[in-house]
Each structure stands twice: as C-alpha cells, then as structure tokens.
Amino acid sequence: MKQDFLWWRDGVVYQIYPRSFMDSNGDGIGDLTGITQKLDYLKNLGVDALWLSPIYPTPDVDFGYDVADYEEIDPKFGSMADFEQLLAASHQRGIRVMLDLVLNHTSDQHAWFQESRKAKDNPYRDWYLWQDAKGGGGLPNNWQSRFGGSGWQWDQATQQYYFHMFYKEQPDLNWRNPKVRQAILDMMNFWLAKGVDGFRLDVFNAFFKSPGLENNPGKLGLAGFDRQQHIYDIDQPEMINLLAEMRELLDSYPERYAVGETFMGTPERAAIYSGSQALHATFDFSFLHNRYSAGAFNRSIHQWENLLSERAWPNYVLNNHDVPRSATRYTRNEADERLKVLAGMMLTLRGTPYLYYGEEIGMRDITLKNRAMVQDPVGKHYWPFYKGRDGCRSPMQWQPDTNGGFTSGTPWLPQHANVLTRNVAAQETQQDALLPLYRSLLRVRKNSSALQGGFYQPLTFDPRRMLAYLRQDSEQTVLVALNFSRRKVKLFLSTSLARTDWQFLYSTHRSECPKIHQRAIQLEPFEVLLLSDSNA
Ligand code: GLC
Ligand code: CA
C-alpha cells in the first residue's frame, strides 16, 4: 500500500446503478442490502470506493435523478438503517461510499415543489424558477429542455411557467435564493456527518441561470436544445463561489471528496471547475466519444493532462449510466481483446479510474426491440431515433441462469442474452477472461506507487496501433505498453530505457520480461505489458 494513500486520488471508484446491481428481496429491483451482500466481491475485485447512483425517494420519472427527499432512502432500495449498514460494512472493508447529489432540480413530488406550486405567495415559491407568460401568453424565453421541447412548463393553477432543464417533472431549483443554498448545504452536511465519503454532483454547472433570462443565440445543430449556444442557461459565474463554499464544507471533514458532472462540458469547461477551492475533480467525457484507436485516446489523455496540469488530479471514465457500454461501442461480438487493452489503459493512467458495474466482465448493452420494452422516458420520447439509456442499465450478470443471479423475481430490465456464458461465476474460473485481468491489474496498481501517484510521460508511439508511456515517481518507473492492434508491433526504446534492467509486472500474453532486441520490444496482438525498474 502506498504510504500516503489517499482513496480518491490513488484509489479506483466503482459506479453502481443500484436498481441493477443485486436484488435481495425478489422484487426485481436491486437494493442496498443486495449491494452489502456483494461487498466481498467488490473488495476482492480491488476497488476502493463506490459511487451509488441516487438512492433517495423518487417517483422514478428519471430513475432516481428526480429526488423527492434528499435525506431519506427510497423504500424500494431499503431503509436508512440498511444504508447505515452498507456504509459501515463498506468502511470495515476499507471501501469508501459516495452518493450522487442531484441539485439542479428536484422531483415535482418534493415537498419544496409541492409547496411552491400552491400559490404565488407561498414561502417556497421562490425556491424554483417561476415566470409570468410573456406578452400574449408566450414563453418567457427560448430555453429548451435537454430531454425535448421547451424548458418552460405552464402551471394552470397559479398561471405562471416554471423552468425545467430536464423532464417537466424535474423543476429546476432557484440557486439565487439563499434559503435553497442553505438547505442544500445543510443536507450535504447531514450525509457527511453520517460518514459518507464523497459526492458526485449531477449537472452542477447548470445550477445558475442568467437572471436576465436572455434568449440563447442559435447555432447549427440537429434540433431544439442542440441548436442553441447555451450561454445564458448554464455556466454562470456565480457557480465558482458556490463550489468554493461546498469545498469548505467538505474540507471541514477529513478525506472527503466531490467530483462534478459538467453538463454539456467540453474538457476545457470541465477543467475550470476543479481545483483547491472548487471541486476535487470533474469528469472528462472524451473517452466516451473516442473511436477505438490509440491515436484518439492519446489525444484525449494529452488534452486532459495539459488542461489540468497542477490544478487538479485527473480521472478517466469509459462507461457510465448514460451512454452505451464500451463493450458495445468497441466490439461487434463476444471477443474481449479490445476491452482488455482499454482496461490496461484505464488502470495505468495518471488519474482516478471510474469503473461502471459490469465493465469488469465486459457486459454488453441489451437491445430494446420495441417501444413497450423501453423504461427510460428519454427513450420513449425519442423512439425510434434514440432508444434511451436502458441498454447500459441491464441487471448485473452474476450467475449463468436466466435471471443472472440478480433476482429471484422478474428483473426490471431483461438480462442480456449472453448471460449464460458471460457472468461473474463463469469468469471466476476462466483464466483469460476479463474479470481476472481486472483483478490482477487492480492488484498491480495497488502495489505500485508509480502507477498510483507517478508522473505520466508519453513515449513515442504508433498512433494507429500502440500507446506506450512511463509512470514514474521517486521510487519507481513503470513502463506501460498497449498494443491496440491485431498485429504484432515493435516498441522502440531510447538507449536509456533499453538499458534498464526491467522487472516483469504484468502481461496479457506472457509471464516474464520480453527480450529487448535492438532496442525494441515486440508486443503480441492486443497485448497489455507492464514492466517496472524495481520491485517497489
Ligand atoms: C445527469 C445524469 C442523468 C440524468 C440527468 C438529469 O446527466 O447522469 O442520468 O438524467 O443528469 O438529472
Ligand atoms: Ca429489491
């Protein structure tokens, strides 16, 4: 273990979509007790922290991203006691727990909104973004909902519009109201005091809107939301102070952490919101859009390294609950070679890797054959042009049976057809499967100070086929070589690197150091190779 090990910097985070991880009571929906039952699996896998997608009471219009009470647990996931048990059992195993905070909006079922919508003079009216109709009943401005249509919803009873960046059942909070700010900070403190280790902040840079409610200018794009420049509805300057205030709260406890999801964020935008007086980290989603190519990943890594430089610790994401899984993006069949190369990359870069449940066994997206199967409202709305996000949210594949060992009842989303062959139990016994590779790499990483905290130094590489870099700290140098291609490739080393007396750390294809011949190492097709200059 690294001497100054800091979980969110040196560790690995595992995202759980609670509905789909493990169902302990047969209702077809994953729950907290289910997660607790699988903690030994997670410990053995080697992850350091869990990020739970929302577990608060919710009418499930957006499956938890519409929160009806920030300080309670949804009964379908369990009770507060179940949560406390999960937290304690995780901590016992040295695993931290992060909650998902959805603070741009609440559910329309939240008590605050229920009050707010009652009357114009209700004390909670100003907790949301209410506006009169313009002129002859027109919309207050041209702002759109990310999920389709105008962002303004008319309320018949009180004769005003309210704004919603997402579904109409997700009214946006008024972050300019100091009472909202205080209530949210108090709520964060409630969870911190309970021992929660950190938060993932959902679409945080959308909290503030321009008070002038100016129309967004247009731009070329497919439709509605994408046809606007989002100048007035996101990324307002007030955000910076709020983040500083949240950071102060986090820093009043030891080793607490927050990572932000930058809405519509380019890496440049995302980088601005991290730092010592802002969030510990923000996500860079570049990897989610890359094609499978050493060059594409190399560009993303360089950009992110350069943008953050000393400002903040990087992190990398290949999968989450909003996008098709990497296995689906990068493979057409059941072959896992490409996924192994990407795992080799994710777990050896300078930055916190975020894994998404099932990534470690190469789960593929399920296919939705008709609209009736769709659960995600965005999918219902845009069917058949966009089928929504159910594909990457299918139940975890634990066992080779029709329900994948996920539930004794009927799962809320079907299991993937490959569950009989692709599952945790099967991969436990297959030496060349993905799961043992994740376990080994996580172990190698945990035992290597350079892989956790060292500098990142790219080596000359072949953009079409190979990525190679050094990770280096005062104790150790690790050489990482990733062959993206189905052909053998040669990695040429500088004289000094060719001379070093390398120790074998890990390979997908061999169990000892390759020969260095004329200053080159020959990599096997899709090989992941890790060498070290010491045993540290
Ligand atoms: C974030 C979440 C997504 C959710 C949206 C609205 O993008 O990741 O799942 O639908 O915010 O809360
Ligand atoms: Ca359940």
Side-chain angles (χ1 to χ4, degrees):
M1 177 77 100
K2 191 163 167 270
Q3 271 185 357
D4 60 343
F5 181 83
L6 182 56
W7 69 271
W8 58 261
R9 182 190 60 200
D10 305 316
V12 175
V13 182
Y14 186 94
Q15 181 190 355
I16 288 180
Y17 197 70
R19 285 185 79 86
S20 300
F21 195 61
M22 182 64 201
D23 173 23
S24 71
N25 63 354
D27 66 357
I29 298 174
D31 45 54
L32 297 178
T33 303
I35 300 173
T36 306
Q37 288 168 359
K38 294 296 183 185
L39 283 176
D40 285 330
Y41 166 78
L42 295 165
K43 175 75 195 163
N44 193 246
L45 176 62
V47 299
D48 303 278
L50 307 178
W51 147 27
L52 309 181
S53 278
I55 52 174
Y56 320 99
T58 171
D60 280 329
V61 170
D62 194 11
F63 291 113
Y65 287 90
D66 47 328
V67 177
D69 184 345
Y70 288 112
E71 299 187 10
E72 266 302 339
I73 304 295
D74 193 298
K76 68 178 159 286
F77 293 132
S79 63
M80 189 59 86
D82 295 332
F83 176 72
E84 283 161 3
Q85 219 218 313
L86 167 59
L87 191 61
S90 302
H91 286 171
Q92 248 167 39
R93 291 166 177 79
I95 297 176
R96 315 291 168 131
V97 178
M98 291 165 59
L99 292 183
D100 208 320
L101 288 181
V102 189
L103 310 177
N104 174 69
H105 43 268
T106 67
S107 159
D108 62 354
Q109 301 304 306
H110 195 292
W112 298 342
F113 190 72
Q114 293 289 310
E115 283 300 313
S116 185
R117 77 180 323 169
K118 277 184 183 159
K120 281 185 186 157
D121 60 0
N122 186 284
Y124 286 88
R125 187 67 170 182
D126 194 36
W127 285 47
Y128 293 85
L129 300 168
W130 291 98
Q131 284 295 320
D132 287 332
K134 225 171 150 184
L139 299 165
N141 64 21
N142 72 355
W143 295 355
Q144 301 282 305
S145 155
R146 167 81 277 197
F147 288 163
S150 167
W152 295 100
Q153 176 68 26
W154 181 248
D155 179 59
Q156 196 57 36
T158 59
Q159 296 285 301
Q160 275 190 323
Y161 285 102
Y162 66 84
F163 182 72
H164 57 93
M165 181 64 90
F166 297 91
Y167 298 119
K168 65 179 184 347
E169 294 85 353
Q170 294 168 296
D172 280 36
L173 282 165
N174 175 15
W175 273 92
R176 291 175 192 282
N177 182 341
K179 290 187 180 140
V180 168
R181 199 174 171 123
Q182 198 51 54
I184 297 283
L185 287 164
D186 289 349
M187 175 272 286
M188 288 172 76
N189 194 45
F190 165 83
W191 290 110
L192 290 169
K194 224 179 236 312
V196 165
D197 299 282
F199 302 112
R200 175 257 189 193
L201 295 183
D202 189 73
V203 300
F204 70 89
N205 57 319
F207 294 179
F208 288 93
K209 283 82 182 166
S210 171
L213 298 180
E214 299 87 340
N215 281 324
N216 280 326
K219 73 161 199 211
L220 286 176
L222 283 177
F225 196 89
D226 295 322
R227 219 183 270 164
Q228 292 189 357
Q229 296 175 50
H230 292 277
I231 296 185
Y232 297 112
D233 53 350
I234 58 174
D235 287 321
Q236 300 303 298
E238 290 85 343
M239 196 61 220
I240 304 288
N241 278 331
L242 175 65
L243 293 182
E245 204 174 335
M246 288 182 167
R247 179 60 177 265
E248 214 176 287
L249 172 62
L250 288 159
D251 285 350
S252 68
Y253 292 85
E255 293 197 17
R256 305 304 164 95
Y257 165 77
V259 57
E261 179 207 27
T262 318
F263 182 52
M264 310 284 295
T266 58
E268 287 85 355
R269 287 249 122 241
I272 293 173
Y273 295 113
S274 58
S276 58
Q277 276 157 35
L279 299 172
H280 297 75
T282 48
F283 290 120
D284 174 16
F285 288 145
S286 307
F287 278 13
L288 304 178
H289 310 293
N290 283 348
R291 59 204 167 78
Y292 178 80
S293 118
F297 284 102
N298 183 59
R299 262 191 305 280
S300 302
I301 297 162
H302 277 229
Q303 183 182 34
W304 197 221
E305 278 274 338
N306 289 336
L307 281 168
L308 293 182
S309 71
E310 295 300 302
R311 181 190 193 101
W313 187 250
N315 60 62
Y316 290 97
V317 191
L318 210 50
N319 287 286
N320 66 32
H321 63 292
D322 289 329
V323 291
R325 287 178 178 272
S326 52
T328 298
R329 304 201 303 272
Y330 299 130
T331 67
R332 293 267 166 278
N333 49 34
E334 291 288 321
D336 287 341
E337 312 110 327
R338 288 180 161 199
L339 306 179
K340 291 181 179 173
V341 175
L342 294 174
M345 178 186 72
M346 283 291 287
L347 298 176
T348 58
L349 286 173
R350 176 183 166 271
T352 317
Y354 274 75
L355 307 179
Y356 180 57
Y357 82 97
E359 182 173 335
E360 73 276 25
I361 54 168
M363 274 173 63
R364 270 68 172 161
D365 279 34
I366 52 168
T367 323
L368 299 141
K369 298 206 178 66
N370 51 58
R371 191 172 179 274
M373 274 178 75
V374 178
Q375 300 275 345
D376 182 11
V378 206
K380 287 185 184 155
H381 186 92
Y382 288 106
W383 183 273
F385 306 104
Y386 173 59
K387 296 176 179 171
R389 300 163 292 180
D390 298 331
C392 65
R393 298 174 178 178
S394 65
M396 179 71 177
Q397 299 172 200
W398 298 104
Q399 299 282 342
D401 62 57
T402 40
N403 284 340
F406 161 75
T407 181
S408 57
T410 310
W412 77 284
L413 275 177
Q415 278 286 358
H416 195 284
N418 67 11
V419 66
L420 295 183
T421 48
R422 186 177 291 284
N423 56 71
V424 170
Q427 295 198 7
E428 300 275 9
T429 62
Q430 297 161 5
Q431 258 195 349
D432 64 343
L434 266 179
L435 182 60
L437 171 137
Y438 271 89
R439 280 202 187 120
S440 304
L441 282 172
L442 281 160
R443 234 151 256 169
V444 168
R445 185 190 157 89
K446 176 84 14 107
N447 291 322
S448 158
S449 64
L451 281 179
Q452 290 168 76
F455 290 110
Y456 168 84
Q457 196 191 317
L459 297 177
T460 42
F461 77 109
D462 172 347
R464 283 181 309 141
R465 304 211 190 93
M466 187 190 15
L467 205 55
Y469 43 89
L470 299 179
R471 297 291 314 285
Q472 195 162 31
D473 68 3
S474 56
E475 283 166 37
Q476 188 191 27
T477 300
V478 174
L479 184 152
V480 179
L482 307 165
N483 181 359
F484 274 66
S485 81
R486 57 182 68 260
R487 275 186 255 149
K488 294 187 179 188
V489 295
K490 272 190 181 149
L491 169 62
F492 290 96
L493 299 169
S494 65
T495 336
S496 61
L497 288 177
R499 267 206 317 259
T500 313
D501 191 8
W502 294 110
Q503 314 257 342
F504 178 80
L505 266 189
Y506 178 83
S507 162
T508 40
H509 289 72
R510 60 185 103 222
S511 49
E512 52 185 46
C513 268
K515 286 204 186 68
I516 300 185
H517 186 63
Q518 290 179 340
R519 286 183 28 206
I521 296 175
Q522 173 143 302
L523 297 173
E524 295 298 313
F526 298 111
E527 179 169 0
V528 173
L529 174 69
L530 273 64
L531 303 176
S532 151
D533 73 338
S534 75
N535 283 318

